[in-house]
Amino acid sequence: MEENKEYNILLYYCYAKIENAEAYREEHHLFCVENNIRGRIIISDEGLNGTVSGLKDDCEKYMAFIQGDPRFAKTEFKIDKHDKHAFTKIHVRYKPEIVHSSLRHLDPNVRTGKHLEPEEFKALKDQEDVVILDVRSNYEHELGHFKNALTLDIDNFRDFPEKVKELEHLKNKKVLTYCTGGIKCEKASAFLLEQGFEDVYQLHGGIIKYGMEAGGEDFEGKCYVFDNRIAVDVNKVNPSVVSKCHVCGTPSDRMVNCANSTCNIHVAICEDCGWELEGACSPECKEHPEKRPYDGTGYYQKNTNGYNPYKGLYRESNKETKTVHEPATNS
């Protein structure tokens, strides 16, 4: 029941210059720990990128914390209701980019594709001189994509620049880019402009916002998400299933990670094959010594490598800096 969904899942990003980003990572992480926010957050010199979960009130505090900082006041949150945390832990990492793109020289605050709100995207997408370009990876667009979208054979977004060479014949078209939440399109559309494409757009807020505000019409299949839900419904108007079970080939939008941790591919596997192969993508992976226990979800918590969420965190108290000690039991 909707009224029982006391948790929120937040998806957001913000391109903004952060001086001493590693120190801000510490401050940001402490806030999350103290307010029971869980998820994955990247802090970079170029901005923030996160997917987090928490009780509704805690998420309200978290959004106020971010938007209360003048650097991030423009941050827009995609908010989804849920019945529990979508993550088991909190990780706030410093990385060179907020999305690995190999396009560090591009600043979306300087130049990027024109932002289209969901209803604007919906009105424009079927016009004759328009190309809808999916800038996500193979495992994402194989699970779901817009009707008639052009997809690229890439395993990671950092491969996008090389693939643009194949799109030269589309320079006279309106190019509408889209991704999960909008962050990849900021750099992708900026790169297209740099390469001589003149009429470039991006779906503001990505697939997730399109589903929330425009009903998800003509998005075929499900949308891959980076939390323990793995895949979510988007289309409330004309839904369909476009992906097939990796094992038996029957239509299936049940996305899993292979239980063999050395394989770990993201593929659709139907319920029956999932249990028969114990979450593995093949008989070989089922017998592999690194196969993880399968609980029917196909989601596995990433190896944290001894990561301690309290390490290095400090708070000011009575004008003295005190270390925040980790609890006696730290899961």
Side-chain angles (χ1 to χ4, degrees), residues 26-182:
E26 198 169 287
E27 174 191 343
H28 196 112
H29 199 167
L30 178 57
F31 185 92
C32 293
V33 170
E34 292 183 331
N35 290 278
N36 196 26
I37 296 295
R38 302 180 191 174
R40 300 192 193 102
I41 302 162
I42 296 173
I43 308 290
S44 168
D45 302 316
E46 68 177 8
L48 312 172
N49 176 18
T51 308
V52 301
S53 65
L55 287 165
K56 184 176 181 296
D57 287 348
D58 292 334
C59 285
E60 292 286 350
K61 293 175 188 175
Y62 181 71
M63 290 187 285
F65 168 70
I66 290 180
Q67 293 176 330
D69 189 316
R71 296 171 294 183
F72 317 126
K74 65 181 181 180
T75 304
E76 181 177 297
F77 292 88
K78 274 73 73 177
I79 307 171
D80 203 0
K81 294 180 180 179
H82 204 39
D83 56 0
K84 58 185 177 181
H85 264 297
F87 298 91
T88 58
K89 298 184 179 182
I90 178 66
H91 293 99
V92 186
R93 307 284 196 188
Y94 171 81
K95 292 189 177 181
E97 298 176 280
I98 55 176
V99 61
H100 190 7
S101 67
S102 67
L103 297 171
R104 295 187 199 179
H105 66 289
L106 295 175
D107 183 353
N109 291 313
V110 175
R111 192 186 189 203
T112 191
K114 305 179 195 76
H115 288 73
L116 293 174
E117 293 303 320
E119 289 293 346
E120 294 175 312
F121 181 90
K122 182 179 176 180
L124 192 59
K125 67 181 178 62
D126 295 323
Q127 292 186 11
E128 190 172 333
D129 60 340
V130 163
V131 173
I132 307 171
L133 179 62
D134 193 319
V135 304
R136 300 171 303 153
S137 303
N138 290 329
Y139 66 89
E140 297 173 88
H141 62 66
E142 286 172 3
L143 179 67
H145 50 257
F146 276 103
K147 181 181 178 181
N148 299 324
L150 175 62
T151 58
L152 302 175
D153 181 14
I154 58 176
D155 292 322
N156 192 289
F157 184 55
R158 62 176 174 267
D159 302 324
F160 175 79
E162 187 66 25
K163 283 294 178 179
V164 169
K165 295 175 183 177
E166 300 175 6
L167 308 179
E168 288 288 321
H169 61 292
L170 301 176
K171 284 190 173 180
N172 63 332
K173 301 279 190 177
K174 291 187 178 76
V175 180
L176 276 57
T177 65
Y178 75 88
C179 60
T180 307

Side-chain angles (χ1 to χ4, degrees), residues 3 17 24 78 80 98 115 123 157 165 175 180 192 200 241 258 260 272 276 289 329:
E3 58 267 24
K17 298 295 183 185
Y24 177 70
K78 274 73 73 177
D80 203 0
I98 55 176
H115 288 73
F157 184 55
K165 295 175 183 177
V175 180
T180 307
L192 288 170
V200 183
V241 177
C258 177
N260 174 7
D272 289 344
E276 183 178 341
T329 57

Side-chain angles (χ1 to χ4, degrees), residues 7 248 271 274 321:
Y7 287 79
C248 70
E271 187 88 23
T321 303

